Amino acid sequence: MSNEMTINEARSMDLVGGAYPIEHVKAQVQMVQHLMKEIMHEGTHYGKIPGCGDKPALFKGGAEKLGFTFRLLPTFDVQLIDMGNGHREYRIKCVLNHGPSGQIVGEGVGSCSTMESKYRWRNAGRKCPECGKEGTIIKGKADYGGGWICFAKKGGCGGKWNDGEKSIESQEQGKVENPDIADQYNTCLKMAKKRAHVDAMITSTAASDIFTQDIEDFDFSSFRPVAAKVIVEKPATATEKHIKHFHEQSEEEGYCRYISAVDSALVRVGMPLEDLVAIVERSRAAMDKDLEKADSGPHKDKDKEQAPPPVEEEDPKSPSMFEEE
Ligand SMILES: [Zn+2]
C-alpha cells in the first residue's frame, strides 16, 4: 500500500517536470481544431450524441485522421480471454508511436466480449402460436381494434389475437442467445481494436477536450497533455481520482447517458478498478451500438429529405393509392 503511494507521488512530481509549455499545448489544440474544420466531417469522423449536451464524440474515422496528421502509428497488443460456452473477450492495448521520432506518445485500452448484448443476443421476432412462424406477428392498428396479427404479407397465417394474448406477449423479443457465437469473433476483435485506438488517440491528442469547447473559451487547466497521462496499471480499487476521471471521461466521450442504473449505483471510491473499467466498456458498447445505428441512419434520412414530395400530395388520384386499398 505505502509502496503504491510512493509511486503515485513520484508520478505527480513527474507531471510538473514533464509538462508542456502552454504555447506548445495551444498549437496542438489549434492543429486538431483546424483538422476538424477542414478535413473532418460531422457524422463520419465525429458526431454529437443525442441527449448528451453539445459534446461530439470522436469516431474511428476521426481517430485515423488525427493519427495521420500527428503521424501516430498504432501497435496493438491483443489478449484473448476464454469466457466459456464459446464466449470470448478481446482486451487490446493500443500504443501510439510518433512516426518520425519513434517515441511512444500514449496508449489506450479497449475491450469487447461476445457477452455484450449486441453479440450475445440475436434479435428474435415473435413466434406465431398457430403456424409457428417467426417474425410474422405484428401489432394490430388501434383503429382496427388493436390486438395481434400473424401478418399474411409477411408470410404469416393471418391469425388474430386480442391485446393481452399471453402466448404472444409473454415471448421475449430480441433476447435469444446467439447460436452461432463464433461468427461474432472477428467483429468483436475489430470493435475492441477500434475502441483501443480511439481511446489512445483521444488521450494522446486531447481531442476529447477540443471537441467539447472552442479555442476561445478553452480551459487549459483541464487539458491533459501526453505527459500528464497517468497509466495506472494495477491498483486494485478505484480512487477518488479515478471516479472523477470516469465522470469527466463519460461526459467527454458521451457515454454518460448509456451507463445503466445498476452500473451507476456501483460507481464509487473503493470499488474494484476492473469493475469500473467494465462499466466504461459496457457503456461505450451501448453508445457504439447507438452510433452504429446513427451511422447507417443519416444517409437514408438525407436521401429522404432530398427525395421529391410524395406522389399523393401532388396527385391525389394516383392509382397506387387505390391499389393498396
Ligand atoms: Zn401464424
Side-chain angles (χ1 to χ4, degrees):
M1 267 314 221
S2 62
N3 234 356
E4 217 168 76
M5 295 269 286
T6 323
I7 291 164
N8 283 339
E9 268 166 36
R11 273 178 179 153
S12 16
M13 285 174 72
D14 239 358
L15 298 187
V16 178
Y20 284 114
I22 216 83
E23 286 312 312
H24 180 115
V25 174
K26 231 173 179 169
Q28 185 177 328
V29 170
Q30 277 163 346
M31 202 157 168
V32 177
Q33 283 219 321
H34 182 73
L35 187 68
M36 236 186 119
K37 272 186 196 145
E38 302 301 323
I39 296 167
M40 291 193 191
H41 302 292
E42 190 168 354
T44 305
H45 302 107
Y46 62 93
K48 281 175 186 161
I49 313 298
C52 215
D54 289 329
K55 297 168 179 176
L58 184 67
F59 295 166
K60 183 171 175 274
E64 279 161 1
K65 284 273 181 284
L66 284 173
F68 182 78
T69 304
F70 291 108
R71 296 195 257 178
L72 305 178
L73 307 172
T75 48
F76 298 95
D77 179 29
V78 181
Q79 197 190 348
L80 169 65
I81 294 126
D82 187 345
M83 302 173 84
N85 289 326
H87 284 285
R88 281 181 177 184
E89 183 190 353
Y90 292 101
R91 287 186 196 167
I92 297 186
K93 187 166 93 171
C94 172
V95 176
L96 293 175
N97 283 276
H98 180 235
S101 67
Q103 213 186 339
I104 292 178
V105 294
E107 61 180 58
V109 288
S111 87
C112 185
S113 99
T114 54
M115 287 292 275
E116 284 178 23
S117 53
K118 67 174 147 182
Y119 308 117
R120 181 176 183 186
W121 310 110
R122 118 189 136 75
N123 203 3
R126 290 189 163 93
K127 249 187 194 161
C128 174
E130 277 296 313
C131 67
K133 278 198 179 156
E134 194 186 311
T136 55
I137 299 290
I138 60 159
K139 188 87 189 69
K141 279 187 182 160
D143 295 352
Y144 297 92
W148 299 96
I149 297 159
C150 184
F151 201 35
K153 280 189 182 170
K154 282 184 159 189
C157 63
K160 282 179 187 163
W161 297 266
N162 292 329
D163 279 325
E165 173 63 37
K166 280 212 176 104
S167 63
I168 290 174
E169 291 182 11
S170 65
Q171 292 183 37
E172 261 198 279
Q173 261 192 305
K175 277 279 171 183
V176 175
E177 289 263 5
N178 194 335
D180 309 306
I181 201 66
D183 291 351
Q184 306 296 324
Y185 292 165
N186 190 44
T187 314
C188 200
L189 173 63
K190 280 186 177 154
M191 181 58 82
K193 216 176 140 186
K194 183 187 97 171
R195 288 172 183 167
H197 191 203
V198 171
D199 183 42
M201 209 58 83
I202 280 175
T203 30
S204 301
T205 63
S208 60
D209 288 326
I210 292 151
F211 278 23
T212 63
Q213 293 174 47
D214 288 326
I215 186 81
E216 287 81 6
D217 50 36
F218 188 78
D219 176 12
F220 284 94
S221 65
S222 73
F223 183 74
R224 298 185 309 275
V226 176
K229 181 170 160 49
V230 180
I231 301 153
V232 187
E233 290 284 2
K234 278 190 178 84
T237 56
T239 63
E240 227 174 282
K241 220 171 159 183
H242 289 131
I243 300 296
K244 191 173 167 246
H245 179 69
F246 167 79
H247 287 300
E248 285 171 0
Q249 194 190 15
S250 70
E251 278 278 317
E252 283 167 12
E253 286 185 43
Y255 60 79
C256 51
R257 68 185 283 258
Y258 295 92
I259 302 165
S260 75
V262 177
D263 280 343
S264 110
L266 292 173
V267 176
R268 59 186 148 76
V269 174
M271 73 180 289
L273 199 60
E274 265 193 57
D275 291 357
L276 187 65
V277 173
I279 289 172
V280 170
E281 290 311 322
R282 273 199 289 276
S283 318
R284 271 200 193 131
M287 182 178 79
D288 284 349
K289 203 174 170 182
D290 238 16
L291 289 180
E292 271 160 25
K293 260 191 240 158
D295 243 351
S296 53
H299 303 293
K300 281 178 195 163
D301 286 345
K302 255 185 192 168
D303 289 347
K304 268 182 203 161
E305 275 169 30
Q306 285 158 4
V311 181
E312 52 261 45
E313 278 199 17
E314 303 262 14
D315 175 15
K317 279 172 192 159
S318 160
S320 65
M321 260 190 88
F322 299 100
E323 263 173 21
E324 273 299 303
E325 306 288 316

